[in-house]
Amino acid sequence: MSEEGQEGIPTPDASATAAPRRSRVDRRRFLEAAGASGVGLTMGTMLGGPALGVAQAGASSAPTTWDMTADVVVVGTGAAGFAAAATAHSKGNSVIMLEKGPIYGGTTAKSGGEYWIPNNSLLRAAGLTDPKVWALRYMARLAYPTLYNPNDAHLGLPPLEYSLIETFYDRGPEAIDYFEHIGAVHTQFNPDYPTIANYGGNPNKPTYKTNNPDYHAELAEDKRPQGRSLGPTATGGGGGAGLITQFYAWATAKKIPVLLEHAVTKVYRNTHGQVIGVAVNAKGKTLAVRARKAVVFGSGGFTANKEMARNFLRGPVFGGCGVPTNTGDIVPIASELGADFGNMNNAWWLQLPLEIAVTTVGSTADIWIPYGDSMIQVNKYGRRVVNEKAVYNERSQIHHVWDASRTEYPNLVLFMIYDDAVAKNPTQWAFRGVVPMPGNTAPYVIMGNTLDELARKVDARLASLASHTAGLKLDRDFTAQLRQTIMRYNSMAGTGVDTDFQRGSTPIQRDWGAGGRKGLKNPTMAPISGSGPYYCILVCGATLDTKGGPKINAKAQIIDPQAQPIPGLYGAGNCIASPAGQAYWSGGGTIGPAMVYGYLAGFHAAAEPVKDV
Amino acid sequence: MSEEGQEGIPTPDASATAAPRRSRVDRRRFLEAAGASGVGLTMGTMLGGPALGVAQAGASSAPTTWDMTADVVVVGTGAAGFAAAATAHSKGNSVIMLEKGPIYGGTTAKSGGEYWIPNNSLLRAAGLTDPKVWALRYMARLAYPTLYNPNDAHLGLPPLEYSLIETFYDRGPEAIDYFEHIGAVHTQFNPDYPTIANYGGNPNKPTYKTNNPDYHAELAEDKRPQGRSLGPTATGGGGGAGLITQFYAWATAKKIPVLLEHAVTKVYRNTHGQVIGVAVNAKGKTLAVRARKAVVFGSGGFTANKEMARNFLRGPVFGGCGVPTNTGDIVPIASELGADFGNMNNAWWLQLPLEIAVTTVGSTADIWIPYGDSMIQVNKYGRRVVNEKAVYNERSQIHHVWDASRTEYPNLVLFMIYDDAVAKNPTQWAFRGVVPMPGNTAPYVIMGNTLDELARKVDARLASLASHTAGLKLDRDFTAQLRQTIMRYNSMAGTGVDTDFQRGSTPIQRDWGAGGRKGLKNPTMAPISGSGPYYCILVCGATLDTKGGPKINAKAQIIDPQAQPIPGLYGAGNCIASPAGQAYWSGGGTIGPAMVYGYLAGFHAAAEPVKDV
């Protein structure tokens, strides 16, 4: 234990050490929640100091006593938070991690666990290259499509936005290698899913076995369409849960306290405006946690805050798969500190079954790419409005369209309709998603023996959901138009070319969006049967999580409108204005920047001076 | 002058009176800017106190001396600001108005000057009724289309949102009558524009001569489709400039200082958290202005702040017609005070000619309803995508649509194409807008003798604008598709029924969107000629102004996330989260709520206690 001082274990303030103790029950639960042993914290400190009454104080009023102290205080325990904590700790700093929820891992733990890192060392070890100009053009083209200019030195982007993607490229490989080096996370090419599409022998789209293609490998800007999506090794179980398990095991071994049900409610600053700690609501008790060097927010977005979603996002959503604690807590906290905000209109867009979205906060019934070859999505008028096999982030924005003549969101709910061939297909497809396997049922699947019967049942189901949808009904010509739509779709399925929406036109669509019968001209398209039964799932707009919040600079410092850092305050992950802008570059386009900017936050926080209280 | 004390003229603090004087030049310019005589302000006060160094202080740090003092300090001089100032002053309070720009009037002065007031007294005097349930259903249906439930006690709206439209209904008529009563603004039914459509003899759409129909008179919820749009009398010249002229004349008569080029940079609070004044940048000098009772923000949105527009609005915009000073200054100011924010994704949407939008901040070349019967708008693929005659707020949202397959905004720029019959039509149509009269030209009008030539010239023009549009080009099949589009459009013009987009289907579309030749089955649709010349205007998404910001309650108090008022702080107009949500109810749907909530802000501010410094 003697080296713990060097290891950077949290050290209590003398004043807090003298604080009265809480009950034994509190103490035991606290230790459980902390996960680690809590060594280095005196009991008095751990169990809370005297009531501080800080809730009434302004953001800049520091408490007179502290319940806990660490060099770096990390808020949130997803990929961003753990990346920051591991980095700061490995550089000799004491760290405390504060998690609002009852379990650690945040939305990362519910995810596929990929992280997308251009020019990563595994890619290079495989003999591939990923020059800066390739990666930055691809990123800028998708992140800022109305600004992108390949001939401009900053690709048409404002300086801050450019610096964030440039630094992501420059430091991303280093971050992943660093986690490997310290033993926090072991990385491999993310294992691919059951099928790999044949990219038609296109020499520009090689099929070397690394991992899935970029989500927009079809773009001329994507000159490295495979090799950027990484993931954790099987240690820890793989996937997002495995990624968190690896991080958590490392943090536990290093005795970093991971304190559950500790919600940060405020940031304290000293009279110089430097951040010196946070106020925490720990199961109803207010604690003051001192950060000697810095506070890093690696918390979630505001998916679970319906009010914020309505007031900020581009269009109507009904929920999302972020953890229920993602209620945008950082927004009022950082507002009071004078932070600038960005990307508040964007999210990682997704579709969910409507009935799940309105009943379950944080569902993972995500419709990544809707399953089925003889399947279409139509709106209330019975019309196709989107490429059903387009990647979730792009496809799901069709729910946001406003109809100027009818003053309505015509695609508020889409109707995913498929025939018995899809329902009875026994393929154990990784992206089968919400379509039950043959012999199984799901309450959100509506069945009708004819299209007319299906429509009647859909209308009845809609009636039961009227309070969620402003009374949405099918148009009275729905079935007639649906027949027209199917006729046209079937014709295009016969040729294999979707002239309306380019279904199945890109590598990822064929890689993830197939899984139907063999021998189709377009593996994502088969004609819909002329006879029933037919099936329908009501589908709505949703998010994985939002990706707007306080802006950061290339050091992951949270900045004000004059681009000046708020001293001692860092951010990464879904709580901040994402360096990805409106893009979802590929699988891991979420966690990649979260890990890299989490790393940078920990890196720079470790070098901060100790602040006066 | 002896009654000025009772009239509530600003009174200087003794400390400020002793402040050193500025130069004579400053003094004269100050007096000119103030507009009114400035009586009641000592020179020392008016010309600024000692340098306060307040720029470095936190929001809650009060200055030790004040340069000016009034009971109520009003920020902004549009309809909201003047409404608040007139109301507070008429109730016995001293008022100072602070205007960031070099002229007073804000965006109101550039507008049509209508104000939409349900159940107003003019309407009732004309023998009409407008029961609460009628007006609230219409407002809620459009403001919150995904929440609206006619059977719910709050129409499906959250409590705050419901209270804001309810109070707008309850207090709106009183506000307008009050301005009449005190002589600040004289109101009439807004004079109608050149033509009144024939509503087909529908008894539910009577054609009594009051003013233009509601923008959505077609909705079943609109049971009072005319009579709610008011405007100023001809005193002052009519329109928005006339409205401001009336207000300003009244303020001048009452000796309310209207201080130009006085930009508020900060709000001061006392140790109780009450608002006690503002910091002002007056042409480079920092002044501290004390508000004994309250500060009312009646300032603009963030249209002129491209960075905020990109980070908050629903979709890409290129500019807007709000005054250039509308840079969202309230957002950081209110953030630091802990305000909650709402409606940040919405604006009063508009189309502008692209070339004007990218060169002129605050242009008024608004395309209210595009002129021309043989005219269509198509996207880069040569396809119609919207009802060209839909009201600007609804139509302009088509620019925001994201294409999932092509990862682009396909409607980022639309191409307004018309034939020689439109160009040569001599009608002096009030909504002719950007289409020059015969014999006139405009640099943004592109002409080609054939569609092929037109397309070539459009592409050349687009090339010159590439840095603004991420290199937008016409699709290579543009002209071929355009011919198909024209063929289909012409066929529908022949029947008079636009089965694709319902063009000309509502009263306002026929009232404002006609002006072409006589005898058409649909007055908004005529076939496009088979021979040239043809004309094209590049059209982009824009705003009148944004309408998100700090949330207010039904007293116009700015509130925090717990719905608690920030004591002494009020807001109205485009700077706050609009009570209109995403709706543009009708002409004056902008200024109506601005005047009513400005009135309520002044009304409640007048009743505030005097705050300790």
Side-chain angles (χ1 to χ4, degrees):
Chain A
M1 306 281 274
S2 61
E3 78 282 16
E4 281 165 1
Q6 291 86 49
E7 281 274 340
I9 294 299
T11 50
D13 279 347
S15 58
T17 308
R21 298 188 178 192
R22 304 290 184 202
S23 71
R24 288 191 59 192
V25 172
D26 276 350
R27 175 184 166 188
R28 184 166 54 78
R29 289 184 59 200
F30 190 96
L31 289 170
E32 285 171 5
S37 71
V39 176
L41 294 170
T42 67
M43 287 305 117
T45 300
M46 287 188 62
L47 301 179
L52 295 170
V54 290
Q56 288 75 42
S60 58
S61 305
T64 51
T65 61
W66 299 93
D67 298 281
M68 289 179 269
T69 294
D71 294 323
V72 178
V73 172
V74 174
V75 186
T77 59
F82 269 116
T87 305
H89 189 280
S90 70
K91 293 182 182 298
N93 294 273
S94 61
V95 174
I96 293 174
M97 296 185 75
L98 302 170
E99 168 56 51
K100 182 182 178 187
I103 53 174
Y104 57 84
T107 304
T108 302
K110 305 171 72 176
S111 77
E114 284 185 278
Y115 30 104
W116 187 83
I117 309 289
N119 197 36
N120 64 72
S121 61
L122 286 77
L123 176 158
R124 284 180 275 121
L128 304 175
T129 60
D130 194 2
K132 192 164 177 171
V133 66
W134 289 8
L136 262 58
R137 283 185 176 176
Y138 178 73
M139 289 193 278
R141 159 68 179 83
L142 289 163
Y144 305 100
T146 64
L147 302 178
Y148 175 62
N149 177 356
N151 303 317
D152 179 73
H154 285 179
L155 300 176
L157 276 51
L160 178 70
E161 283 77 356
Y162 182 79
S163 75
L164 291 175
I165 63 168
E166 181 182 45
T167 302
F168 176 58
Y169 176 89
D170 288 342
R171 307 291 298 274
E174 164 194 327
I176 304 308
D177 292 349
Y178 187 78
F179 296 132
E180 188 77 53
H181 170 69
I182 64 173
V185 175
H186 304 289
T187 291
Q188 62 179 3
F189 284 123
N190 199 56
D192 212 337
Y193 290 90
T195 64
I196 288 284
N198 175 353
Y199 300 145
N202 182 339
N204 295 320
K205 301 276 187 286
T207 58
Y208 43 79
K209 175 69 180 172
T210 52
N211 51 15
N212 55 263
D214 281 345
Y215 283 178
H216 300 287
E218 74 279 7
L219 292 179
E221 286 83 4
D222 197 4
K223 300 198 183 301
R224 177 54 56 223
Q226 281 184 295
R228 292 163 174 165
S229 284
L230 307 174
T233 57
T235 314
L243 173 61
I244 292 298
T245 297
Q246 288 198 32
F247 263 132
Y248 182 74
W250 188 90
T252 302
K254 302 298 182 186
K255 302 188 174 59
I256 296 175
V258 181
L259 307 182
L260 306 181
E261 297 185 67
H262 278 55
V264 170
T265 59
K266 187 189 297 279
V267 165
Y268 295 115
R269 289 197 286 182
N270 63 19
T271 53
H272 307 296
Q274 297 168 317
V275 167
I276 54 169
V278 296
V280 175
N281 179 345
K283 305 173 193 175
K285 293 192 183 69
T286 299
L287 306 178
V289 180
R290 187 178 171 207
R292 287 158 40 88
K293 292 185 172 181
V295 171
V296 179
F297 275 85
S299 47
F302 53 83
T303 284
N305 185 328
K306 284 186 185 298
E307 182 73 3
M308 287 188 67
R310 187 167 58 74
N311 282 288
F312 289 102
L313 296 180
R314 284 177 185 270
V317 295
F318 286 84
C321 72
V323 288
T325 44
N326 288 357
T327 53
D329 297 0
I330 195 176
V331 174
I333 292 172
S335 290
E336 287 201 55
L337 300 173
D340 197 18
F341 285 81
N343 218 32
M344 294 296 285
N345 40 13
N346 285 314
W348 312 101
W349 306 110
L350 187 69
Q351 288 184 319
L352 284 174
L354 173 65
E355 293 156 276
I356 293 180
V358 300
T359 53
T360 307
V361 178
S363 163
T364 52
D366 325 301
I367 305 174
W368 300 110
I369 289 192
Y371 180 70
D373 43 18
S374 44
M375 174 279 302
I376 54 175
Q377 289 189 359
V378 298
N379 70 5
K380 65 182 272 196
Y381 296 100
R383 295 182 185 273
R384 287 183 75 211
V385 291
V386 72
N387 174 352
E388 295 89 347
K389 301 292 187 176
V391 172
Y392 43 105
N393 187 65
E394 317 309 322
R395 181 182 75 248
S396 306
Q397 295 179 57
I398 202 66
H399 292 285
H400 308 166
V401 172
W402 180 246
D403 184 312
S405 287
R406 297 186 174 107
T407 55
E408 67 173 10
Y409 293 99
N411 313 325
L412 184 69
V413 174
L414 292 182
F415 304 89
M416 178 176 161
I417 291 173
Y418 53 92
D419 64 14
D420 217 35
V422 170
K424 295 287 194 331
N425 189 315
T427 307
Q428 298 266 7
W429 187 250
F431 295 91
R432 190 166 182 123
V434 296
V435 175
M437 286 293 286
N440 291 346
T441 58
Y444 53 77
V445 177
I446 301 165
M447 196 267 277
N449 286 308
T450 64
L451 291 175
D452 287 315
E453 187 189 18
L454 186 72
R456 282 196 300 276
K457 288 187 173 179
V458 167
D459 250 336
R461 186 69 61 94
L462 283 173
S464 75
L465 293 159
S467 66
H468 299 286
T469 61
L472 178 70
K473 296 183 170 90
L474 295 179
D475 183 67
R476 60 183 173 184
D477 293 329
F478 174 83
T479 315
Q481 180 58 51
L482 177 60
R483 287 199 174 86
Q484 294 288 319
T485 298
I486 289 175
M487 192 179 310
R488 181 171 175 84
Y489 171 78
N490 285 356
S491 165
M492 295 191 294
T495 65
V497 180
D498 175 6
T499 52
D500 290 340
F501 299 105
Q502 301 84 47
R503 174 160 157 170
S505 61
T506 71
I508 194 74
Q509 291 176 43
R510 290 171 179 251
D511 200 13
W512 289 8
R517 66 207 85 177
K518 307 285 185 195
L520 298 170
K521 286 197 177 175
N522 178 334
T524 70
M525 296 178 74
I528 293 173
S529 174
S531 59
Y534 299 102
Y535 304 83
C536 180
I537 300 174
L538 312 188
V539 171
C540 67
T543 74
L544 279 82
D545 196 5
T546 61
K547 53 170 157 172
K551 291 182 185 175
I552 60 167
N553 63 19
K555 291 181 174 176
Q557 294 172 298
I558 291 177
I559 58 176
D560 71 14
Q562 286 73 46
Q564 295 303 306
I566 296 169
L569 189 64
Y570 291 79
N574 289 340
C575 68
I576 52 95
S578 175
Q582 76 172 79
Y584 203 128
W585 295 309
S586 191
T590 48
I591 297 177
M595 286 178 75
V596 173
Y597 278 95
Y599 165 79
L600 291 168
F603 183 94
H604 293 290
E608 286 263 344
V610 173
K611 275 76 180 173
D612 296 331
V613 176
Chain B
M1 307 279 273
S2 62
E3 78 282 19
E4 281 163 3
Q6 291 86 50
E7 282 274 340
I9 294 298
T11 49
D13 278 348
S15 57
T17 307
R21 297 189 178 192
R22 306 287 184 203
S23 73
R24 288 191 59 194
V25 173
D26 275 350
R27 175 184 167 187
R28 183 167 54 80
R29 290 184 58 201
F30 190 98
L31 289 169
E32 285 170 6
S37 71
V39 175
L41 295 169
T42 69
M43 287 305 116
T45 301
M46 287 188 61
L47 301 179
L52 296 170
V54 290
Q56 288 74 40
S60 57
S61 304
T64 51
T65 63
W66 299 93
D67 297 282
M68 290 179 267
T69 295
D71 294 323
V72 177
V73 172
V74 174
V75 186
T77 60
F82 270 117
T87 305
H89 188 280
S90 70
K91 293 183 182 298
N93 295 273
S94 60
V95 173
I96 293 174
M97 296 183 75
L98 303 170
E99 168 57 50
K100 182 183 178 187
I103 53 173
Y104 56 83
T107 304
T108 302
K110 306 171 71 176
S111 78
E114 285 185 277
Y115 30 102
W116 188 82
I117 308 289
N119 198 35
N120 64 72
S121 62
L122 285 77
L123 177 159
R124 283 180 276 120
L128 304 175
T129 58
D130 193 2
K132 190 164 180 171
V133 65
W134 290 7
L136 264 58
R137 283 184 176 176
Y138 178 73
M139 289 193 278
R141 158 69 179 81
L142 289 163
Y144 305 99
T146 63
L147 302 177
Y148 176 62
N149 177 356
N151 302 317
D152 178 73
H154 285 180
L155 301 175
L157 276 51
L160 178 69
E161 283 77 355
Y162 182 80
S163 76
L164 290 175
I165 63 167
E166 181 182 44
T167 302
F168 176 59
Y169 176 90
D170 289 342
R171 307 292 297 276
E174 163 194 328
I176 304 308
D177 291 349
Y178 188 77
F179 296 131
E180 189 77 54
H181 170 70
I182 65 173
V185 175
H186 304 289
T187 292
Q188 61 180 2
F189 283 124
N190 199 57
D192 210 338
Y193 289 90
T195 64
I196 286 285
N198 176 353
Y199 301 143
N202 182 338
N204 295 321
K205 301 275 185 287
T207 58
Y208 41 80
K209 175 69 180 169
T210 52
N211 50 14
N212 56 263
D214 282 343
Y215 284 178
H216 300 288
E218 74 279 7
L219 292 179
E221 285 84 3
D222 197 4
K223 301 199 184 299
R224 175 55 56 222
Q226 283 183 293
R228 294 163 173 165
S229 284
L230 306 175
T233 58
T235 314
L243 173 60
I244 292 298
T245 297
Q246 288 198 32
F247 263 133
Y248 183 74
W250 189 90
T252 303
K254 302 299 182 186
K255 303 186 174 60
I256 296 174
V258 181
L259 308 182
L260 306 181
E261 297 185 67
H262 278 55
V264 170
T265 59
K266 188 190 297 278
V267 165
Y268 296 115
R269 291 197 286 183
N270 63 18
T271 53
H272 308 295
Q274 297 168 318
V275 167
I276 55 170
V278 295
V280 175
N281 178 344
K283 305 172 192 174
K285 295 191 182 69
T286 298
L287 305 178
V289 181
R290 186 179 172 206
R292 286 159 41 88
K293 292 185 172 181
V295 171
V296 179
F297 275 85
S299 47
F302 53 84
T303 284
N305 185 328
K306 284 186 184 297
E307 181 72 5
M308 286 187 67
R310 186 168 56 75
N311 282 289
F312 289 103
L313 296 179
R314 284 176 184 269
V317 295
F318 286 83
C321 72
V323 288
T325 44
N326 288 357
T327 52
D329 298 0
I330 196 175
V331 174
I333 292 171
S335 290
E336 286 201 55
L337 300 172
D340 197 17
F341 285 81
N343 219 33
M344 294 295 285
N345 40 12
N346 284 315
W348 312 101
W349 306 110
L350 187 68
Q351 287 183 319
L352 283 176
L354 173 65
E355 292 155 275
I356 294 180
V358 299
T359 54
T360 308
V361 178
S363 164
T364 53
D366 324 301
I367 304 174
W368 300 111
I369 290 192
Y371 179 69
D373 43 17
S374 44
M375 175 278 303
I376 54 175
Q377 289 189 358
V378 298
N379 69 6
K380 64 182 270 193
Y381 296 100
R383 295 182 185 276
R384 288 182 75 211
V385 292
V386 72
N387 175 352
E388 294 88 349
K389 302 292 187 178
V391 173
Y392 42 106
N393 187 65
E394 317 309 322
R395 180 182 75 250
S396 306
Q397 295 179 58
I398 202 67
H399 292 285
H400 307 166
V401 171
W402 180 247
D403 184 311
S405 287
R406 297 185 174 106
T407 55
E408 67 173 9
Y409 292 99
N411 312 327
L412 183 70
V413 174
L414 292 182
F415 303 89
M416 178 175 162
I417 292 172
Y418 54 93
D419 64 14
D420 217 34
V422 171
K424 296 288 193 332
N425 190 317
T427 307
Q428 298 266 9
W429 187 249
F431 294 91
R432 190 164 182 125
V434 296
V435 175
M437 286 294 286
N440 292 346
T441 58
Y444 52 78
V445 176
I446 302 166
M447 196 266 278
N449 287 308
T450 64
L451 292 176
D452 287 314
E453 187 189 20
L454 186 71
R456 282 195 301 275
K457 289 187 172 180
V458 166
D459 249 335
R461 187 69 60 93
L462 283 174
S464 74
L465 294 160
S467 66
H468 299 286
T469 62
L472 179 70
K473 296 183 171 91
L474 295 179
D475 184 65
R476 60 182 173 184
D477 295 328
F478 174 83
T479 315
Q481 180 58 50
L482 176 60
R483 288 199 174 86
Q484 294 287 320
T485 298
I486 289 175
M487 192 180 309
R488 180 171 175 85
Y489 171 78
N490 285 357
S491 165
M492 295 191 295
T495 65
V497 180
D498 175 5
T499 51
D500 290 341
F501 299 106
Q502 302 84 47
R503 174 160 157 170
S505 61
T506 72
I508 194 72
Q509 291 176 43
R510 290 172 178 250
D511 199 13
W512 289 9
R517 66 209 84 178
K518 307 284 184 196
L520 298 170
K521 284 198 177 172
N522 178 333
T524 70
M525 296 177 77
I528 293 174
S529 174
S531 59
Y534 299 102
Y535 304 83
C536 180
I537 300 173
L538 313 189
V539 171
C540 68
T543 73
L544 279 83
D545 196 6
T546 61
K547 54 170 157 170
K551 292 183 185 175
I552 61 168
N553 63 19
K555 291 181 174 176
Q557 295 171 297
I558 291 176
I559 59 176
D560 70 15
Q562 286 73 46
Q564 295 303 305
I566 295 169
L569 188 65
Y570 291 78
N574 289 341
C575 68
I576 52 96
S578 176
Q582 75 172 81
Y584 203 128
W585 294 309
S586 191
T590 48
I591 297 177
M595 286 179 75
V596 173
Y597 278 96
Y599 165 78
L600 291 169
F603 183 94
H604 293 291
E608 286 264 343
V610 173
K611 274 77 178 172
D612 296 331
V613 177

